[in-house]
Amino acid sequence: MHGGRLRDRRMILSVERLDYTKGVPQKLEAIRRFLERYPARREDCIFVIVAVPSRQGVDEYDELTDDVQREVGAINGQYGSVGQTPVQFLHRGFPPAELAAFYALADACLVTPLIDGMNLVAKEFIDCKRGAEGSRPGVLILSEFAGAAQEMSHAILVNPYDLDGVADSIARALEMPADAMERRAQAMQARLDRNDAGAWARHILGDLGDTEKARTYRTDEGAMPALADEIAAACAGGQDFALFLDYDGTLRGFTADPDDAVPDPELVPLLRRLCQKPAIAGRIAVVSGRPGSFLEKHLGETGATLVAEHGYLWRRSAAGKFTKVHPRVDTSWKEMILPHLRQAADLTPGSQIEEKRSAVVWHYRRADPEFGLWRAHELLSDLTEISANLPVAVHHGKKIVEVSSLLVSKGTATDLLLKEWRPNLALAAGDDQTDETMFALEPKSVKFYTVNVGGSTSTRARHRASIRGLRRFLETLDANLPS
């Protein structure tokens, strides 16, 4: 079909194999609903369905073809007029150049499989919307059950079984301004450019390499009691010690609901006893991403300094209140970042957003593990691009993606406390990327130990331990530090 013959009519294109998984009967019923619900559109729209024959000679597929052709005829008989056929059904294949012309001219592409591993049609359509001469802006309407939906979040996502929803989405696509269509297409084109076959191969090979590293990963938690003995001996000789401990994944294991990750019965008494040891009294800090209210409720009576929201707030004494570590932190960037996190939450069942005063966090602990991790990588890519000129840092932690002020970090708060406390020895323990800012510190005149607790294979920490290994370390300290 040539562009001149389209005149002022809007083309909604479908390209697929005529297969049960592609949902062609459901698509036709949605088209019928659209023509019923939007009669003003009957004269200016044309649906072009390119259905490549599949498994000819198989009875079930021949019956499917007959059913589809009958329904096309019924729709055209009911809603067509002289010179106007609402649905053109092209039951044959086309060379790539002709398909590209279809994609370039289409105002919308209706890709609504009932299930699909990837669906390259969606990507081909977007790739043909790069402003070539004669092409039109267009909108991708995509089934949420297609694999491509996981990375093409700027499409209009639909449930192919929701026939009214698909019909309304067609109307929405046709009413969308051209500049909005172009912005959506450009966002998806940029992602397609980054995630080509070469990137996919590198990702797979990288995962294989990480798996091999994981096989050889070992904690040296057996050495943790010995490290505690070494520190206790130094303290017995008159040296002062400081301790910086993350909470989630370090002092306490993860749970499906973060609110359930409260201290076990032994933890609070253990920290309280350590805070009373002369060699360490006044120099223990719990440095966490948790809000101050959580830390105060569950650890407020231990006597430890509480550092909340990754170093945004701290409480320096049991009788004190939380105050800002940096009084002049600017958080106006949230307005730009939050919409991207909300979109990720909308597209990822089981995920949610937490908004802190200094940071915004996307949690995906309850999401499907593989899909959640995939979405996290996509979100990281997007956030890295849009935050390039903002005063923020983007972190990928344990089942979270967090954006926080550059002035706020666990390392910054820990460094300030080290300069104030001036211990001879210090140890920092944590489990994820947010704790690496502590591990990167090189305090002068301090022997500084760092422990990665059950974390990634890549870390600046000099020691590794499990949560249980770190607990044994603290218990050994409690037993051996002078009272």
Side-chain angles (χ1 to χ4, degrees):
M1 180 178 292
H2 298 288
R5 292 174 58 189
L6 280 174
R7 298 188 298 275
D8 295 327
R9 293 163 71 183
R10 314 292 296 279
M11 179 166 65
I12 300 95
L13 176 68
S14 295
V15 179
E16 57 235 330
R17 286 183 298 105
L18 192 50
D19 186 280
Y20 286 102
T21 64
K22 300 302 181 181
V24 180
Q26 289 83 357
K27 186 196 304 281
L28 288 170
E29 182 58 31
I31 291 172
R32 180 184 286 278
R33 299 278 181 93
F34 170 79
L35 295 171
E36 288 174 358
R37 294 161 71 95
Y38 299 94
R41 287 290 189 185
R42 294 173 188 172
E43 295 298 321
D44 71 349
C45 288
I46 182 169
F47 291 86
V48 177
I49 299 177
V50 177
V52 180
S54 178
R55 297 172 175 85
Q56 290 175 300
V58 177
D59 290 344
E60 289 80 1
Y61 282 83
D62 290 343
E63 290 174 10
L64 173 63
T65 302
D66 291 342
D67 290 343
V68 167
Q69 290 177 332
R70 275 195 299 271
E71 180 61 16
V72 169
I75 293 173
N76 287 336
Q78 183 172 357
Y79 297 105
S81 60
V82 176
Q84 164 65 3
T85 304
V87 181
Q88 291 196 7
F89 181 71
L90 307 177
H91 190 215
R92 62 185 186 274
F94 287 84
E98 292 188 33
L99 270 182
F102 276 116
Y103 291 139
L105 291 172
D107 297 276
C109 189
L110 192 58
V111 183
T112 55
L114 305 181
I115 188 68
D116 221 340
M118 174 54 71
N119 196 292
L120 291 177
V121 168
K123 297 188 175 185
E124 290 169 355
F125 171 74
I126 291 299
D127 204 43
C128 289
K129 293 298 185 183
R130 294 183 182 267
E133 184 177 354
S135 69
R136 296 177 171 183
V139 182
L140 175 62
I141 303 171
L142 181 60
S143 167
E144 62 190 27
F145 302 128
Q150 297 180 9
E151 58 180 312
M152 306 188 80
S153 54
H154 289 82
I156 297 177
L157 298 180
V158 296
N159 182 334
Y161 295 99
D162 177 9
L163 303 177
D164 290 337
V166 176
D168 291 341
S169 294
I170 296 170
R172 176 187 168 196
L174 295 176
E175 293 165 3
M176 189 176 294
D179 58 345
M181 294 182 182
E182 290 172 352
R183 284 197 302 271
R184 285 171 174 256
Q186 288 167 1
M188 289 185 280
Q189 286 161 2
R191 183 166 293 172
L192 291 179
D193 291 341
R194 292 194 305 270
N195 298 324
D196 58 9
W200 175 83
R202 289 190 295 273
H203 177 73
I204 294 297
L205 292 173
D207 283 351
L208 291 173
D210 289 344
T211 300
E212 184 60 31
K213 289 178 185 176
R215 288 196 189 106
T216 60
Y217 174 82
R218 296 288 186 274
T219 65
D220 56 359
E221 62 189 67
M224 295 303 290
L227 182 60
D229 289 338
E230 176 186 331
I231 292 170
C235 291
Q239 296 192 355
D240 292 330
F241 178 53
L243 188 57
F244 301 89
L245 302 168
D246 175 42
Y247 181 73
D248 290 288
T250 302
L251 291 176
R252 177 67 167 84
F254 291 102
T255 60
D257 186 340
D259 289 338
D260 292 338
V262 299
D264 58 75
E266 293 79 22
L267 179 58
V268 170
L270 174 59
L271 291 177
R272 188 184 296 120
R273 292 194 301 271
L274 286 171
C275 286
Q276 295 170 355
K277 303 285 184 178
I280 198 175
R283 288 184 296 275
I284 296 181
V286 176
V287 187
S288 172
R290 291 278 187 165
S293 56
F294 179 93
L295 297 180
E296 190 166 39
K297 177 180 179 181
H298 297 290
L299 300 173
E301 297 181 0
T302 61
T305 292
L306 303 179
V307 181
E309 297 191 23
H310 297 304
Y312 178 62
L313 300 170
W314 57 15
R315 196 192 78 169
R316 304 300 309 279
S317 67
K321 296 185 178 298
F322 277 95
T323 59
K324 292 181 182 179
V325 176
H326 283 287
R328 296 184 179 84
V329 173
D330 177 17
T331 59
S332 59
W333 49 264
K334 284 185 183 180
E335 296 177 7
M336 186 177 297
I337 297 295
L338 271 170
H340 295 267
L341 270 65
R342 292 191 183 109
Q343 184 181 52
D346 290 342
L347 295 174
T348 313
S351 69
Q352 64 187 58
I353 296 172
E354 177 187 7
E355 184 174 355
K356 303 176 183 178
R357 281 175 285 190
S358 68
V360 286
V361 189
W362 178 66
H363 295 267
Y364 62 98
R365 198 170 298 165
R366 292 180 174 179
D368 174 81
E370 291 188 7
F371 183 56
L373 181 60
W374 180 90
R375 179 69 71 189
H377 288 157
E378 290 297 305
L379 182 59
L380 282 167
S381 178
D382 285 348
L383 292 176
T384 300
E385 280 189 24
I386 67 172
S387 67
N389 296 317
L390 297 176
V392 300
V394 182
H395 306 287
H396 186 195
K398 290 290 184 67
K399 303 291 185 180
I400 65 165
V401 173
E402 180 172 58
V403 185
S404 60
S405 169
L406 277 175
L407 292 176
V408 175
S409 75
K410 292 182 178 181
T412 299
T414 299
D415 189 46
L416 290 172
L417 291 173
L418 280 169
K419 289 174 179 175
E420 178 183 331
W421 291 343
R422 297 183 180 181
N424 306 109
L425 314 167
L427 182 143
D431 70 305
D432 68 16
Q433 199 63 34
T434 64
D435 300 300
E436 293 294 321
T437 57
M438 293 194 294
F439 302 156
L441 294 175
E442 296 181 357
K444 295 180 180 179
S445 305
V446 179
K447 188 170 184 179
F448 192 47
Y449 302 89
T450 50
V451 182
N452 179 270
V453 182
S456 66
T457 56
S458 176
T459 180
R460 290 188 174 97
R462 296 180 178 87
H463 300 272
R464 298 180 185 272
S466 64
I467 294 176
R468 181 57 198 151
L470 182 71
R471 182 65 62 88
R472 289 179 60 199
F473 167 81
L474 296 176
E475 290 168 347
T476 305
L477 271 184
D478 178 39
N480 294 346
L481 278 176
S483 296

